[in-house]
Amino acid sequence: MPGMRAVIKGIGSAVPSRIMTNHDFEAILDTSDEWITKRTGVKERHLLGEGETSSTLATTAAKQALENANLKPDDLDLIICATVSPDMPFPAVACLVQDAIGAVGVPAFDLSAACSGFIYALSVGSQFIETGKYKRVMVIGVDALSRFCDYTDRGSCILFGDAAGAVVLEASEDQTKGIEYTVLHTDGSGWDYIHVPGGGTAKPTSQKTLDDGEHYVKMRGRDVYKFAVEKMQWLLGDCMEKCNLSVDDVDLVVPHQVNIRIIESATKKYNFPMDKVYVNIDRYGNTSAASIPLALSEAVAAGKAGPGSTIVMVAFGAGLTWAGAVVKM
Ligand code: COA
């Protein structure tokens, strides 16, 4: 007898209301709207405002996903939150969300895989359903890297925005729907390509770590770029090959919104027409673990994906991590 499939029953997303445009950066950095637009595709990004945190964004997205799924908080069996920018080192953002939505007693934990985090969490969440352990799993991707950005470093701070996205996975016997395939990879030898050196057990916060700016994101932009193009190309090829899909069979590619040039060079390799590639990087920048569920939620709302659609998701990030998924809506 075939096992259970994990289908996406509801989707939600949230962004803070404060917007920072490229022109706002011109006022504080030696940069220009033209440079940022041409090199990254980003025009503006939403950043946390006063009183907002990763968990407040994640809670809004989670409530929306529950409503969209027509479910109540106590219908959930598990909450997984992918993030590298928690409200505090511990407890997990997932615990704060569990409390805020009133999912009393539901197990909740965070997963750290940076920009690949949502696909990692989707893979973990779907396993709990496929094994029959749980019926409904909330998978959240949230990051607010604005809190870790050095706004004097023009090579990194212009890229990132804050957001959250969430899906509710539900068990189904329908084998034509749901999470069809996931692929996860890591190369820890590239840990220093993108990292925050201070504030952990290696370099606990001290006056020196603060003076040295070690609480900020450090990024080897050009190295990350090369890695990203190669892995995004590989992931697209692997997802299509393993699921026996041609470009025509894929309704939509939802890539990690990292840099328009990276997205274009990866999808061009397989001749994906750009109308089959969801792009919203111009409005949000790189929102790390939130990027894919935010894009998915917009794509569904815009009618670019819906029941019956075949979607390929690809992401990579700090770790180094990279991950892909094929989802039948
Ligand atoms: N405005 C103006 N000039 C800038 C700038 C900015 N915001 N940021 C960098 N520059 C300058 C550099 O100082 C450099 O000047 P130089 O030639 O005088 O030394 C020049 O632009 C080229 O820098 P380079 O780093 O080669 O640019 P690039 O085309 O690689 O673009 C990134 C830089 C960061 C946009 C690009 O490398 C990138 O997107 N990398 C991937 C990063 C990423 O995705 N991180 C998250 C992964 S999940």
Side-chain angles (χ1 to χ4, degrees):
M1 185 182 132
M4 284 294 168
R5 297 273 293 225
V7 301
I8 295 183
K9 176 87 172 159
I11 312 178
S13 63
V15 292
S17 53
R18 183 162 76 100
I19 293 177
M20 185 149 184
T21 66
N22 291 348
H23 293 295
D24 294 331
F25 275 110
E26 288 174 345
I28 59 166
L29 287 172
D30 179 15
T31 191
S32 65
D33 172 47
E34 194 199 345
W35 192 97
I36 301 173
T37 306
K38 205 166 138 216
R39 298 291 183 110
T40 71
V42 185
K43 295 293 283 182
E44 59 186 37
R45 62 295 281 149
H46 292 244
L47 306 184
L48 289 188
E50 188 79 21
E52 290 176 314
T53 64
S54 291
S55 75
T56 63
L57 284 183
T59 298
T60 305
K63 283 182 176 168
Q64 210 182 85
L66 274 178
E67 204 181 301
N68 185 241
N70 207 12
L71 291 170
K72 298 184 299 303
D74 59 10
D75 291 325
L76 295 174
D77 300 310
L78 175 67
I79 300 170
I80 308 174
C81 183
T83 188
V84 287
S85 44
D87 291 29
M88 54 196 102
F90 62 87
V93 171
C95 302
L96 304 177
V97 173
Q98 187 249 33
D99 179 47
I101 65 174
V104 182
V106 174
F109 66 88
D110 282 2
L111 179 158
S112 170
C115 302
S116 311
F118 179 76
I119 298 181
Y120 266 69
L122 199 69
S123 184
V124 173
S126 64
Q127 312 294 314
F128 276 105
I129 288 175
E130 287 160 16
T131 58
K133 171 89 174 166
Y134 292 137
K135 284 201 168 58
R136 294 187 191 100
V137 178
M138 171 78 76
V139 176
I140 304 168
V142 62
D143 269 310
L145 291 176
S146 69
R147 295 287 205 239
F148 296 85
C149 277
D150 177 355
Y151 283 94
T152 64
D153 176 8
R154 66 179 184 172
S156 63
C157 70
I158 47 112
L159 292 173
F160 298 105
D162 305 336
V167 299
V168 179
L169 298 178
E170 187 175 68
S172 167
E173 285 176 2
D174 183 349
Q175 302 296 310
T176 65
K177 282 184 161 188
I179 315 299
E180 179 131 328
Y181 174 69
T182 58
V183 55
L184 313 178
H185 281 287
T186 298
D187 177 3
S189 71
W191 66 271
D192 65 340
Y193 276 43
I194 324 171
H195 71 299
V196 176
T201 53
K203 291 187 180 180
T205 306
S206 66
Q207 194 54 52
K208 181 165 175 10
T209 63
L210 293 175
D211 291 345
D212 293 346
E214 294 192 303
H215 49 302
Y216 291 134
V217 172
K218 309 289 175 200
M219 190 178 76
R220 290 162 45 186
R222 232 177 266 187
D223 293 332
V224 176
Y225 190 96
K226 279 186 224 142
F227 157 79
V229 171
E230 186 203 322
K231 295 309 176 199
M232 208 181 245
Q233 285 180 349
W234 183 86
L235 285 165
L236 278 173
D238 179 72
C239 285
M240 289 197 292
E241 187 194 321
K242 295 288 167 32
C243 295
N244 206 14
L245 298 171
S246 69
V247 168
D248 287 345
D249 298 326
V250 176
D251 295 298
L252 195 66
V253 177
V254 180
H256 171 40
Q257 305 290 312
V258 56
N259 181 319
I260 189 65
R261 291 186 293 146
I262 295 174
I263 294 171
E264 282 175 353
S265 50
T267 49
K268 257 185 205 146
K269 180 176 157 92
Y270 302 97
N271 296 320
F272 269 104
M274 278 314 277
D275 63 357
K276 279 195 175 195
V277 182
Y278 197 79
V279 175
N280 62 8
I281 189 170
D282 51 326
R283 286 174 289 128
Y284 303 111
N286 176 349
T287 59
S288 188
S291 148
I292 287 183
L294 172 63
L296 181 68
S297 121
E298 281 199 348
V300 170
K304 287 182 179 289
S309 298
T310 299
I311 299 179
V312 178
M313 304 172 180
V314 287
F316 56 86
L320 299 164
T321 55
W322 58 104
V326 177
V327 179
K328 297 261 171 79
M329 296 294 283

